[in-house]
Amino acid sequence: MAASQQDVQVNNEDQDDSSTTDADSLIRSNDPLHPANRISDLCRRFYTLGWVTGTGGGVSIRHGNHIFLAPSGVQKEMMQPTDMFVMDFQTKQYVRRPQALKPSACTPLFLAAYTKRNAGCCIHTHSQWAVLVTLICEARLQTPAERNVFAIKEIEQIKGISRGGSGSDEIAEGGRKVGNLGFYDTMKIPIIENEAHEEDLTGALEKAIEEWPEACAVLVRRHGVYVWGKDVAQAKTQAESLDYLFQLAVEMHKLGLKWT
Amino acid sequence: MAASQQDVQVNNEDQDDSSTTDADSLIRSNDPLHPANRISDLCRRFYTLGWVTGTGGGVSIRHGNHIFLAPSGVQKEMMQPTDMFVMDFQTKQYVRRPQALKPSACTPLFLAAYTKRNAGCCIHTHSQWAVLVTLICEARLQTPAERNVFAIKEIEQIKGISRGGSGSDEIAEGGRKVGNLGFYDTMKIPIIENEAHEEDLTGALEKAIEEWPEACAVLVRRHGVYVWGKDVAQAKTQAESLDYLFQLAVEMHKLGLKWT
Amino acid sequence: MAASQQDVQVNNEDQDDSSTTDADSLIRSNDPLHPANRISDLCRRFYTLGWVTGTGGGVSIRHGNHIFLAPSGVQKEMMQPTDMFVMDFQTKQYVRRPQALKPSACTPLFLAAYTKRNAGCCIHTHSQWAVLVTLICEARLQTPAERNVFAIKEIEQIKGISRGGSGSDEIAEGGRKVGNLGFYDTMKIPIIENEAHEEDLTGALEKAIEEWPEACAVLVRRHGVYVWGKDVAQAKTQAESLDYLFQLAVEMHKLGLKWT
Amino acid sequence: MAASQQDVQVNNEDQDDSSTTDADSLIRSNDPLHPANRISDLCRRFYTLGWVTGTGGGVSIRHGNHIFLAPSGVQKEMMQPTDMFVMDFQTKQYVRRPQALKPSACTPLFLAAYTKRNAGCCIHTHSQWAVLVTLICEARLQTPAERNVFAIKEIEQIKGISRGGSGSDEIAEGGRKVGNLGFYDTMKIPIIENEAHEEDLTGALEKAIEEWPEACAVLVRRHGVYVWGKDVAQAKTQAESLDYLFQLAVEMHKLGLKWT
């Protein structure tokens, strides 16, 4: 990706860059690990998991000073590198905007994780397990503190979650993930209330990220979950581990089993 | 698709057009977006979702003055472009009929959405979630008005549904879908009673479409759902969003959670 | 398949035919619809549906005077045409036996459907939905007549089932399947008790086939289901429709909804 | 695989062998059945089954005097032969260590099955069905003997399980698996308590293997299951049969049906 020079020239959000060769060079690569190719691939994978049904959800990768973002309204399993928006992380201006598309409403939410957690990748899913977990918490009529946090402990898969979501992924000689939660730790994910418009979640999401420094994700009631990681591998495996835990928690609840 | 001239010559339903080169030109194209190829592809995708098990369900696309229809009795995951029926929208006569096949019983039901909603694509699934939702409504022994409508609100995925099913899919700058239902809107899908023979549903389905101008679909008790959209993308993503909401509603019901 | 001449030469079950070119010609074909290729393909498909987990279940096709049978103990998703046993339908002798494999314990059960229903294809699955339906019937402590039959009505998917399992699949002009059950018919599938050894099911299965001439299948308590059809398409689509109905029935039972 | 000579030269765990051609020859082969290729393939398959979500779980194959082991922390669906660790079974020293990776924490647990059961392949899954079964046993507040064993009988799929996990897979003429459990046998799988660190399970797992000579697996409470077999086919099909039985048991429990 030899696109760093072009970024300087293009920093006005009102300017349509989609027709310029310079902006397109940001998303053209034969490397499957290039962010534009990687997001397309992740969208296809997440579609088969039921996380991004009906154009819902979103995926973003930070690559140096560029934020790559899947657009709004595109069927995720058909996503192409040419559909990608690219934003300059410093100026928050788009340096590539596909002409026929609109930016994702998730954009300010993803920026919160990039800014406050130094994340390298953010994933937003509408997974039914995430939604059901928030509904169960809501219905249990507990104290506000309890209603607004999903907590689970003593399940092995918790060990797949790093402290803060973008912590060290160092593995010790015996296979122990030293930067991650342990089996006896309680994993807590804050739940914020949904808003009519996705961008209006930004304040509450930023507040939750600040108040829960150990959380790797924020649940949105009746909506889904935002997960991040320091890179694609960490964000994706944490999204998988979380979804596993949400699904298990719903099944446990059906069977009358306690989460903590 | 340079087939518009042939249509004039062929308008008798009793005439077998399947052997003519003219009619076949209607369904031969290397373009994966051609309706005959698209329907075959959608049938394969819907099979893996469990929507068209055992030759059930159906898919149709309107392309200009032509209605393309998957036939009756063919295994959906093996559907081929050559299996397609093509109907002239004005005359309602088949301009292509595969000799060995029979038209789908869904045909008059799809026509209702094309005529009354100006739809561009119709999808009929036997999804178990759709059937279960109608059974739960039936069993709750509510007033007729309540038994015959599936209603749910304050779930983010509702925002994937356009008003009337074929409304504008305009997306505002922030990613807001301006033609769609909002988070605080109650999505209502009418439920009609099933009949012994699918074509006998036509009257009740037309009546439901007229009485529920905001609905994007009609549920058929103990049978499935008819969904439409102004084009393939809108019909497909709405079918996905609806199925997500039906599944979530069944899970919510199991957990004792209210839909509205 | 130019193998008809060789069949005459090979009719001794004790003779190992797997090394002979003559017997191998029975299962070598470039035609994907050849029974040996078709069974391999079906085994792979059924594996992904969870019907033939852990080498369980079985598939067989009758082709003229030959019965093609998947072997015992082979992982279904890795099945190859060369794994197939071929039996002469008149003499019931194997005309092809892979040297390293053993015939399926399902063989006498499949023969019952070929003989008594003139079936062209038989499918045996261990689907959990089939097993759960038999367990629910067992637990309801009804009269013997009720415990030993799964009955369901007024579900559209019932219309995917032919009377007797191998009846006409004629479709009338409107898409109506004239040889199949109707929406208001009660579909009844007999349930027989399992035995320690699969071949010991033969008598009870034959009796059930005789006593239930309208059934397209026989359930085996705590075991699975045997389904047949006059050809591969009918057997497969009926197996799909039945599995759909079993799954729906389990979900209905969880929700407190009646099957009939 | 012409790597047997190199093994003698490399037996020091502290030595980094990943850069040597000798060690790499252990995992390079065009044969899809070579252990390094096979483990990669199994990891991809198990990922789609939900057994190894978020880098969880593990797979190992014994090939002569070599133990092949998938590493820690690698996404299972992206596993490559070059990721494999290879251990000398006699000396328990790694003869191949990928420089950037760490050995799996499952290693001592897999060795227990190789040593005490003469296994040829070990599989560790985090399947939710396995976890739920251990939680249901825990919650039933039975005697310690009952809480620590999962037992089920009279389900056909039990016949897919060999006595001791690595017993004979001989199949008699009628398809009967003579080395396996029968329909009327009670399959018992011991459950051990989880530990903060996976390697600390070794003692309890070895004890369970010794005390339950007929078991083909050990469940770990709130964690998952270890399954083995004398070869890949037996280990994989037993893992499938067990998972089928765990899932069925959870569904039976939801429906109020007894396991034994």
Side-chain angles (χ1 to χ4, degrees), chain C residues 5 7 17 20-21 29 53 59 106-108 118 141 149 153-154 196 209-210 218-219 234 258:
Chain C
Q5 295 184 324
D7 298 355
D17 309 313
T20 71
T21 306
S29 169
T53 299
V59 182
C106 304
T107 306
N118 201 27
L141 296 167
V149 181
K153 69 173 179 177
E154 293 180 30
I209 291 177
E210 284 164 9
V218 175
L219 283 158
Q234 194 183 50
K258 300 274 183 209

Side-chain angles (χ1 to χ4, degrees), chain B residues 53 61 82 97 100 108 115 126-127 137 165 170-171 195 209 216-217 225 229 239 248:
Chain B
T53 299
I61 293 174
T82 47
R97 290 188 58 132
T115 304
H126 285 193
S127 165
C137 286
E170 189 195 341
I171 300 177
E195 298 284 344
I209 290 178
C216 70
V225 67
L248 187 70

Side-chain angles (χ1 to χ4, degrees), chain B residues 2-243:
Chain B
S4 50
Q5 295 183 325
Q6 289 80 6
D7 298 355
V8 187
Q9 305 164 15
V10 182
N11 59 9
N12 186 335
E13 197 174 1
D14 298 324
Q15 185 177 342
D16 177 13
D17 309 313
S18 66
S19 56
T20 72
T21 306
D22 289 354
D24 276 6
S25 72
L26 289 167
I27 51 91
R28 284 209 187 112
S29 168
N30 292 325
D31 181 359
L33 296 182
H34 182 285
N37 297 330
R38 203 76 188 277
I39 290 178
S40 305
D41 177 59
L42 290 172
C43 284
R44 261 184 287 281
R45 292 173 183 269
F46 295 167
Y47 178 79
T48 67
L49 297 173
W51 290 359
V52 291
T53 299
T55 83
V59 182
S60 171
I61 293 174
R62 177 178 168 187
H63 185 76
N65 192 40
H66 288 138
I67 309 285
F68 289 77
L69 298 136
S72 182
V74 173
Q75 294 173 75
K76 293 290 192 293
E77 79 278 19
M78 301 181 185
M79 195 69 71
Q80 298 299 327
T82 47
D83 295 329
M84 296 301 134
F85 284 69
V86 187
M87 180 183 268
D88 182 292
F89 186 46
Q90 301 305 323
T91 65
K92 306 295 185 289
Q93 304 294 312
Y94 288 106
V95 291
R96 184 178 193 271
R97 290 188 58 132
Q99 209 162 5
L101 299 172
K102 288 286 162 57
S104 166
C106 303
T107 306
L109 304 165
F110 290 151
L111 286 174
Y114 291 131
T115 304
K116 294 181 181 296
R117 290 292 171 88
N118 200 26
C121 176
C122 294
I123 296 166
H124 169 45
T125 89
H126 285 193
S127 165
Q128 300 210 358
W129 306 114
V131 173
L132 287 168
V133 153
T134 68
L135 289 168
I136 292 169
C137 286
E138 182 182 53
R140 290 190 303 184
L141 295 167
Q142 301 168 310
T143 63
E146 289 169 322
R147 288 180 76 245
N148 299 334
V149 181
F150 168 70
I152 192 165
K153 70 173 179 177
E154 294 180 30
I155 300 293
E156 179 71 9
Q157 196 74 32
I158 291 171
K159 290 160 70 173
I161 302 294
S162 76
R163 295 184 189 280
S166 49
S168 161
D169 56 3
E170 189 195 341
I171 300 177
E173 178 62 21
R176 196 177 302 182
K177 291 172 184 110
V178 294
N180 282 18
L181 294 175
F183 178 68
Y184 291 109
D185 288 323
T186 299
M187 184 190 79
K188 294 182 182 177
I189 308 291
I191 305 172
I192 62 174
E193 300 303 322
N194 200 26
E195 298 284 344
H197 303 301
E198 199 146 10
E199 64 269 29
D200 296 338
L201 290 170
T202 312
L205 189 120
E206 289 177 343
K207 186 159 168 284
I209 290 178
E210 283 164 10
E211 290 179 354
W212 296 88
E214 283 231 326
C216 70
V218 175
L219 282 159
V220 184
R221 186 111 55 210
R222 297 172 167 275
H223 182 151
V225 67
Y226 286 85
V227 196
W228 55 82
K230 64 175 184 157
D231 52 25
V232 172
Q234 194 183 51
K236 171 175 168 289
T237 58
Q238 287 182 159
E240 289 175 358
S241 290
L242 271 184
D243 206 56

Side-chain angles (χ1 to χ4, degrees), chain A residues 38 41-42 45 49 153-157 159-160 170-177 182-184 232-234 236-238 240-241 243-249 251-252 254-259, chain D residues 13 47 50 52-56 72-75 77-78 94 97 102-106 124 126-129 131-132 135-136 139 194-200 221-224 250-251 253-254:
Chain A
R38 202 78 188 274
D41 178 59
L42 290 172
R45 292 173 182 268
L49 295 173
K153 71 172 178 177
E154 293 180 29
I155 300 293
E156 179 71 10
Q157 195 75 31
K159 290 160 71 174
E170 188 195 341
I171 301 177
E173 179 62 21
R176 196 177 301 183
K177 291 169 183 116
F183 178 68
Y184 291 110
V232 172
Q234 195 183 49
K236 172 177 167 288
T237 58
Q238 287 182 160
E240 289 174 357
S241 290
D243 206 56
Y244 172 104
L245 290 163
F246 296 153
Q247 180 177 3
L248 188 70
E251 292 296 320
M252 287 172 73
K254 282 186 194 168
L255 292 163
L257 304 168
K258 301 272 184 209
W259 295 344
Chain D
E13 195 174 3
Y47 178 79
V52 292
T53 299
T55 83
S72 182
V74 173
Q75 294 173 73
E77 80 278 20
M78 301 181 184
Y94 290 107
R97 291 189 57 132
K102 288 287 163 55
S104 167
C106 303
H124 169 44
H126 285 193
S127 165
Q128 298 209 0
W129 307 114
V131 173
L132 287 169
L135 290 167
I136 292 169
N194 200 27
E195 298 284 345
H197 303 301
E198 198 147 10
E199 65 270 28
D200 295 339
R221 186 110 56 209
R222 298 170 166 278
H223 182 151
V250 172
E251 292 297 320
H253 187 74
K254 282 186 193 168

Side-chain angles (χ1 to χ4, degrees), chain C residues 86-116:
Chain C
V86 186
M87 181 183 268
D88 182 291
F89 186 45
Q90 301 305 323
T91 65
K92 306 295 184 290
Q93 304 294 313
Y94 290 106
V95 291
R96 183 178 193 272
R97 291 189 58 132
Q99 208 162 6
L101 299 172
K102 288 285 163 56
S104 167
C106 304
T107 306
L109 304 166
F110 290 152
L111 287 174
Y114 291 131
T115 304
K116 294 181 181 297

Side-chain angles (χ1 to χ4, degrees), chain B residues 13 47 53-55 72-73 75 77-78 97 102-105 126-128 131-132 135-136 139 194-199 222-223 250 253-254, chain C residues 38 45 49 153-157 159 171-177 183-184 233 236-237 240-241 243-245 247-248 251-252 254-255 257-258:
Chain B
E13 197 174 1
Y47 178 79
T53 299
T55 83
S72 182
Q75 294 173 75
E77 79 278 19
M78 301 181 185
R97 290 188 58 132
K102 288 286 162 57
S104 166
H126 285 193
S127 165
Q128 300 210 358
V131 173
L132 287 168
L135 289 168
I136 292 169
N194 200 26
E195 298 284 344
H197 303 301
E198 199 146 10
E199 64 269 29
R222 297 172 167 275
H223 182 151
V250 172
H253 186 75
K254 283 186 194 169
Chain C
R38 202 79 188 274
R45 293 173 182 268
L49 296 173
K153 69 173 179 177
E154 293 180 30
I155 299 295
E156 179 71 9
Q157 195 75 31
K159 290 160 70 174
I171 301 178
E173 179 60 22
R176 195 177 303 182
K177 290 170 184 113
F183 178 68
Y184 291 110
K236 171 176 168 290
T237 58
E240 289 175 358
S241 290
D243 207 56
Y244 172 104
L245 291 164
Q247 180 176 3
L248 187 70
E251 292 298 320
M252 288 173 72
K254 283 186 193 168
L255 292 162
L257 304 168
K258 300 274 183 209

